[in-house]
Amino acid sequence: MKARAFDYVRPHSVEEALQAFANADGDAAYIAGGQSLVPALALRLQAPALLIDIARLEELHGLSVIGDHLRIGAATRHFEILNSGLVRTHAPLLSKAASFVAHPAIRNRGTFGGSLALADPASEFPAMSLALGAEIEIASLAGNRSVAAADFFLGLYETALQPGEMIRAVHVPAATARTYCAFDELARRRGDYALVGSGINAEIDNGRIERIRIVFLAVGSTPVQAKNVENLLIGNCLTPELIRKAQETLEADLDPPGDEQTPAEMRMHLARVLLGRLLGRLEATP
Amino acid sequence: MNVFAGSLDRPNSYIGRSVTRPNAKRLLEGKGRYVTDLILPRMLHAAFVRSPYAHGKIVAVNTEEARALSGVRAVFSGEDLSAICTPWIGTLDHFRNMKSPPQVPLALGKVTWSGQPVVLVVAESRAIAEDAAELVELEIEELPALADPVEAMSAEAISQGLDSNICFATKLDSGGVDEAFEAADLTVEQNFIFGRHTAVTLEPRAIVADYDPSENRLTAHHATQTPYQFQDVYSRHFGIPEANVRVVAPDVGGSFGMKLHVYHEEMAVVGASILLGRPVKYLADRMESFVSDIHARDHRVTARLAVGKDGRISGMDVDDITAIGPFSSYPRTSAVEGNQVVRLMGAPYDFSSYRANLSVVFQNKVQTSQYRAVGHPIACAVTECLVDAAARELSLDPFEMRARNLIPDNSYPRKSPTGYQFEKLSHEVCLARLRAIMNYDDLRREQAELRGKGILRGVGIALFVEITNPSPAFYGVGGARISAQDGAIVKLTPSGEVHCSISVTEQGQGTETIIGQIVADQLGVDRAKVRVMTGDTDTTPHGGATWACRGAGIGGETALQAARKLRNNLLFIAGLILQAKPGELDIREDWIVEAATGQQRISLPEVARIAFFRSDTLPPGTQAQLSVVHHYAPQGYPFAFTNGAQGCLVEVDAETGFVKILKHWVVEDCGRIINPLLVDEQIRGGVVQGLGAAFFEECLYNPEGQLTNGSLADYLVPMACEMPDIEIAHVETPTQDTELGAKGVGEAGTAAASAAAMNAVNDALAGQGAVLTQIPMTPTRILRALGSI
Ligand SMILES: Cc1cc2nc3c(=O)[nH]c(=O)nc-3n(C[C@H](O)[C@H](O)[C@H](O)COP(=O)(O)OP(=O)(O)OC[C@H]3O[C@@H](n4cnc5c(N)ncnc54)[C@H](O)[C@@H]3O)c2cc1C
């Protein structure tokens, strides 16, 4: 299994990288952690003439709190998300989700921006970006723009990124004392892509749900937000009865795909079980 | 007769000791030399164009563009290679009326499975070969694929010249079966499905074929278990004298039976090297492995057990339909697994009325053949699940049910219900040990407590019998040129060290380690002074090599007898030098000593020096024989049998269908244990493969005969996180057929792990109205059985 021949450059700035892409007549790809791109090259599912390596660009690195946002540089590696104290305090949902992303060897290289750009519907970070209401900062030769996660994931491996555009950073609203969250997924083996996963981020005041986002992964062509369930819950306190109702309502939000191994009905069933379990164990921000 | 003392308090008593592997450090340091590490001058690289369809007619093959690509040296299709390679047919004479279509390296006229190689591209690099392969245009008219074995049984034959898709069918009938079922108080019957899985070796299949026209000599560096078998195959099918064919198996990264078989790609690459007169390398990539390595299992079994009120089994009736590929594999066939399934049923139990029907059916999927524990997991799971089902009906504890039926330890030798001859097994001892190491009563107490809290734990056990150390009754009598004997050369070096080259081979299981232990033990030298070499047909004697757990039992005995022969020679020379009687001397810790007192007389290096360099000082007429060649073929029983018992503890999440495997236990009787550490490794690895089959591994096909999960992202191999602790205990009942007494252990873990796991899951689900009789037991299947989806 050998990739087709390609050229490789490692530019010194985002600007240079964008330029390199522009010069390649569209036959190029950014490579960050390479954990998804390299297998695709080896399988000849993708064969760009030029790889532009952005993994080491200073501008794409770093985690910082700016105002009420946590800024995550696009080239931040999965293991940094997993181990970061900043992430734990300001985006605990990401911390929880990170331990489910692949295995240590892959987390050492895979990047947050790469995960979002790839937009695999079974991936944890795209789904959790949606659950957190993240804003995606995009660089291009035409200038910077920002897209809400809700408008970013358009389809299977399809995003709002135009050819040549690059994710520079992701901004996540920081958690407050009233933020509660939970994440879990059902995977056949530790580190595998899940059959179903879900993360919940909520603002709860005195037991009353003020705001809540519930996002599922691996149940459609994009991360899927369970809006009917959210509407049911907002303004209420969680009770076993309400959780049961939420599970019943979920059917209205999800229309999961099925295959021989995991039929749609199975995914739906697991999503309901997962929703019940997660609502039962929302945790406050540490 | 087994006269081997085996005590561990002698010097150099390595047999029975947990010593580490001499090659472990080298492999750990990344210094392993696998076939793909080999780079030869003028070497070319192969890539294959494969059929995208499971069944089809080849209309046209256009290779023009591929040929024109820079760096491409040749493009071969079916006709090119058939011209220099005679077809092979995977049948054995003792499987009566067995049939299989002739095979050639690249498809001719028709394709019969998705992934079948059609065109071979040879280029300066693998990348260029793959570039060129993309340029080959295949025009194939798709034909309806047979992907369902039951349908295939009555469908039109896939292969021209055959009248049906039945490859082989056989019946066993001891008589009295109908009567047993009529008289039975209870009949339990179940339908089982055993999915296909595959070996997934760390190192994929690999070959460098190097044909030198100037000498009409072929050297194949080949990742295989059986270099001698391939020497014979290449010689006969390519018409090269056997002495001119050398097969070298360097470090091999796992095989599990998978690398025993003849594959179209390897034959094509040998052919390409002959046609080009240059070395050609081929390494299967993982995607290719999934569609071209043998698969295993794929059985649908209906079986019933006749049982009395007292729990006594009186009869068993079995029907097994096993689906193979579009042809039977060569030279070991695809019928051995089914044959072993129907012959190992009920093996641990004391009853005599047995009947079985076996149908081995062609279909449009990749070939199946022998893979670790051939047939055993099927026979064991069917038997043990039925035994548990009967126990449940009769409200008998699974241990008690087995205790009432197993063949008593004091009743050997005797025959199994299916006619196998058992020398001596130890079911009673093993079952008692299993109960003890499991703390069975505590487990049951805990299970009941947790059930009160809604937690579903399950405990399952399984007894097994494993067939090992085959005589020529296995293949030889069927006309296959597969040896049941092994050979060794043991020689003294001029420095007084020892070199042993032997025909059993190493794929990571530690063959070389145990051979070194046996030689050192028998010669009385330090283990570090024995060098063992395997895997080269030019430098080792011809032998059966490693399969069917024969490495320790047959290879080990060969080494033992060879070492004793050399020892006698050395004592003879020492006797001449010392003017002592050889019978009064011994070798201990590299010294010739007085046997009675242990007093050191002369060192081995000194004996070697005199014999090699000062033969003038030996008495006239003395010719020191410092190298011995020795062959050993098993005699006595046609097979050895090992036995044991396994236990499994699981927790089932009834909401999700997910199963946590909490613990697994094995009590195993492999006869003489040469190296407990390696035996435990074999058992653990085997159990993991069995649990993989039970919960994870399955080659899934769609109705068009396409493998839908042919990558490591989708095909789930068991990983460490999901595997439980595996506790092992041993019982030793050496075979009396050999001095060494070893029976083999490589397949024992796999034989019963899935059976114990199935029983554990069904125990957890007892009372929930769900019974699982299909593996792998996936969450979807468990939830379906529970009626949740
Ligand atoms: C065995 C295995 C298991 C895995 N399991 C999981 C899992 O459980 N969950 C999970 O979420 N992921 C999993 N992954 C995927 C892994 O997390 C990927 O690394 C990640 O999704 C992509 O990040 P990357 O940095 O490696 O991107 P790359 O592979 O470098 O790139 C992926 C794509 O994104 C584009 N890209 C990268 N960075 C940018 C950017 N800044 N701007 C615009 N485009 C960009 C590339 O051009 C390419 O198209 C697994 C991978 C492997 C190999």
Side-chain angles (χ1 to χ4, degrees), chain A residues 123-192:
Chain A
S123 271
E124 290 80 5
F125 291 148
M128 293 312 97
S129 300
L130 180 58
L132 289 164
E135 288 279 326
I136 292 140
E137 184 188 331
I138 297 169
S140 78
L141 286 178
N144 287 357
R145 64 183 184 121
S146 189
V147 176
D151 301 320
F152 186 77
F153 301 107
L154 303 180
L156 188 66
Y157 302 114
E158 194 192 336
T159 67
L161 287 174
Q162 296 298 310
E165 283 191 325
M166 184 195 299
I167 300 179
R168 186 194 287 275
V170 178
H171 296 260
V172 179
T176 69
R178 295 184 307 164
T179 305
Y180 286 73
C181 70
F183 181 93
D184 204 356
E185 63 179 43
L186 293 164
R188 294 295 314 280
R189 300 173 305 179
R190 181 88 204 164
D192 277 356

Side-chain angles (χ1 to χ4, degrees), chain A residues 52-274:
Chain A
I52 303 164
D53 190 345
I54 58 170
R56 290 186 237 179
L57 290 179
E58 199 73 23
E59 301 161 67
L60 299 182
H61 279 271
L63 289 154
S64 54
V65 179
I66 304 171
D68 58 358
H69 281 163
L70 174 70
R71 183 185 189 275
I72 302 168
T76 304
R77 313 269 184 189
H78 300 340
F79 83 92
E80 295 176 79
I81 304 277
L82 181 64
N83 297 330
S84 156
L86 271 188
V87 176
R88 229 182 336 273
T89 350
H90 299 289
L93 183 60
L94 282 184
S95 281
K96 288 192 204 305
S99 70
F100 290 90
V101 179
H103 314 275
I106 290 148
R107 291 200 291 261
N108 285 344
R109 286 195 168 268
T111 66
F112 196 75
S115 180
L116 266 56
L118 184 69
D120 185 326
S123 271
E124 290 80 5
F125 291 148
M128 293 312 97
S129 300
L130 180 58
L132 289 164
E135 288 279 326
I136 292 140
E137 184 188 331
I138 297 169
S140 78
L141 286 178
N144 287 357
R145 64 183 184 121
S146 189
V147 176
D151 301 320
F152 186 77
F153 301 107
L154 303 180
L156 188 66
Y157 302 114
E158 194 192 336
T159 67
L161 287 174
Q162 296 298 310
E165 283 191 325
M166 184 195 299
I167 300 179
R168 186 194 287 275
V170 178
H171 296 260
V172 179
T176 69
R178 295 184 307 164
T179 305
Y180 286 73
C181 70
F183 181 93
D184 204 356
E185 63 179 43
L186 293 164
R188 294 295 314 280
R189 300 173 305 179
R190 181 88 204 164
D192 277 356
Y193 282 109
L195 300 180
V196 174
S198 180
I200 301 181
N201 207 51
E203 297 289 310
I204 298 179
D205 193 18
N206 268 329
R208 224 176 68 103
I209 298 174
E210 309 254 284
R211 264 184 301 176
I212 187 164
R213 280 212 196 203
I214 304 171
V215 177
F216 281 85
L217 50 98
V219 294
S221 55
T222 61
V224 179
Q225 198 175 339
K227 289 189 179 155
N228 288 299
V229 176
E230 291 172 5
N231 289 336
L232 173 82
L233 298 174
I234 288 172
N236 293 308
C237 297
L238 282 175
T239 61
E241 179 54 31
L242 185 63
I243 293 178
R244 235 186 336 271
K245 266 206 193 126
Q247 286 176 299
E248 282 163 23
T249 307
L250 190 60
E251 196 101 34
D253 284 314
L254 307 186
D255 182 18
D259 54 47
E260 168 71 18
Q261 281 196 80
T262 316
E265 196 192 355
M266 169 78 171
R267 278 216 162 78
M268 191 65 228
H269 172 88
L270 294 180
R272 259 192 309 264
V273 171
L274 205 54

Side-chain angles (χ1 to χ4, degrees), chain A residues 1-5 42-44 103 185-193 195 247 259-263 265-267 269-270 272-274 277, chain B residues 126-127 130-131 134 285-287 653 655-656 658 695-696 700 709 712-719 721-722 777-780 783-784 788-789:
Chain A
M1 227 184 294
K2 304 285 179 196
R4 270 194 231 146
L43 293 169
R44 298 189 172 213
H103 314 275
E185 63 179 43
L186 293 164
R188 294 295 314 280
R189 300 173 305 179
R190 181 88 204 164
D192 277 356
Y193 282 109
L195 300 180
Q247 286 176 299
D259 54 47
E260 168 71 18
Q261 281 196 80
T262 316
E265 196 192 355
M266 169 78 171
R267 278 216 162 78
H269 172 88
L270 294 180
R272 259 192 309 264
V273 171
L274 205 54
R277 289 182 179 179
Chain B
R126 175 68 176 251
E130 288 186 21
D131 287 347
E134 283 190 339
D285 68 36
R286 197 56 77 179
M287 313 297 278
D653 181 338
E655 274 192 321
T656 62
F658 278 55
F695 294 105
F696 296 102
L700 293 163
N709 64 340
L712 284 179
D714 300 312
Y715 179 96
L716 306 181
V717 290
M719 308 258 265
C721 287
E722 283 67 43
M777 297 176 281
T778 62
T780 303
L783 289 186
R784 278 204 180 120
S788 310
I789 56 166

